[in-house]
Amino acid sequence: MADQTALSSALLDYLRNESLRECELLRELREETSTYPMGQAMQIMAEEGQFLALLVKITNAQVIVEVGTFTGYSTLCMAQALPQNGQLITCDITRRWPATGRRYWQQAGVDDRIDLRIGDAVDTLANLLRERGPGSIDMVFIDADKASYRTYYESALLLTRPGGLIIIDNTLLFGRVINNGDNSPETVAIRELNSFLLTDDRVDLSMLPMADGITLARKK
């Protein structure tokens, strides 16, 4: 059995040249974000954005919740993949970074599909559960503060319909999950979540060795 192929810079360039279909607006948003403090570290890779869009279409998602907007690159990827009557509810703790994304959402003509909510994500998810009820969401993408991932996951599981998909980003956390000397709150939280998910029989599970680790959990 072959091991995972290591992606050198040349092989990653090949992958992008032969597979990536990034529109001009997405490229411009990604490049603008890279100029901000921590912009490159916090933004998803372009190929992950394309993967998210494909998952929207595969699952026939109509309503999506995104936990963690940042500058809205992943938001735009998923919103473009939604049908015209679809809705993406995205939340962030501040308006500062999503304001960048808003300009691109408007240019792409998908701003009307995006419901931006500002505030603590725990509160936003609780409000959505009250507004819409359990099992009302098709897909949830979690990419926010890592220490709260377990809380976000449990709320997402309540919100997601049976057969719906929860996508959790950064589950390898730049390799820190295997550094026994790293006991920072975010590293411990990701380690504990990964171990918990392995035994959570409420979902079908796959952790992908892509980008910084992407875990897919399909609600049974």
Side-chain angles (χ1 to χ4, degrees):
M1 181 175 67
D3 288 334
Q4 180 74 19
T5 301
L7 288 181
S8 63
S9 295
L11 193 54
L12 185 56
D13 286 342
Y14 173 83
L15 181 153
R16 288 170 174 163
N17 290 335
E18 299 298 322
S19 175
L20 186 60
R21 298 176 175 178
E22 185 183 41
C23 72
E24 185 67 16
L25 275 175
L26 281 169
R27 183 187 64 77
E28 290 176 6
L29 174 53
R30 178 170 53 83
E31 290 179 352
E32 180 175 345
T33 302
S34 71
T35 68
Y36 297 155
M38 293 296 291
Q40 286 184 306
M42 292 180 64
Q43 180 171 249
I44 67 168
M45 298 169 70
E47 49 268 35
E48 182 177 355
Q50 183 168 305
F51 179 58
L52 289 173
L54 182 62
L55 290 175
V56 173
K57 294 181 178 181
I58 288 173
T59 59
N60 293 313
Q62 303 285 322
V63 184
I64 301 169
V65 170
E66 179 182 45
V67 184
T69 312
F70 192 40
T71 61
Y73 184 91
S74 54
T75 315
L76 181 53
C77 290
M78 292 186 287
Q80 287 181 317
L82 278 170
Q84 284 192 342
N85 63 344
Q87 185 180 33
L88 195 164
I89 303 160
T90 185
C91 61
D92 206 279
I93 196 66
T94 175
R95 293 187 183 277
R96 179 184 180 187
W97 304 119
T100 297
R102 177 74 76 185
R103 290 188 277 109
Y104 291 89
W105 306 340
Q106 291 170 343
Q107 290 180 67
V110 297
D111 190 51
D112 61 336
R113 303 177 195 175
I114 299 170
D115 177 4
L116 172 63
R117 303 197 181 191
I118 303 300
D120 190 302
V122 173
D123 296 334
T124 299
L125 293 170
N127 288 336
L128 284 173
L129 191 59
R130 285 191 292 269
E131 291 171 19
R132 292 176 171 268
S136 57
I137 304 298
D138 301 307
M139 195 170 102
V140 178
F141 178 49
I142 300 173
D143 183 17
D145 60 299
K146 314 313 171 194
S148 300
Y149 262 29
R150 175 66 185 276
T151 301
Y152 299 153
Y153 171 73
E154 292 296 340
S155 295
L157 200 60
L158 287 172
L159 280 165
T160 304
R161 63 169 171 80
L165 187 64
I166 301 170
I167 307 157
I168 309 170
D169 201 23
N170 304 115
T171 47
L172 293 179
L173 202 61
F174 305 102
R176 289 161 55 184
V177 288
I178 61 170
N179 180 355
N180 293 330
D182 186 344
N183 291 306
S184 63
E186 61 179 10
T187 302
V188 171
I190 294 296
R191 280 198 203 108
E192 291 180 350
L193 176 65
N194 289 339
S195 296
F196 172 77
L197 288 172
L198 180 61
T199 61
D200 188 358
D201 61 6
R202 297 172 296 177
V203 298
D204 300 308
L205 182 72
S206 181
M207 184 192 293
L208 305 180
M210 174 186 177
D212 188 32
I214 305 170
T215 294
L216 306 180
R218 175 187 177 273
K219 184 175 178 178
K220 293 182 180 179

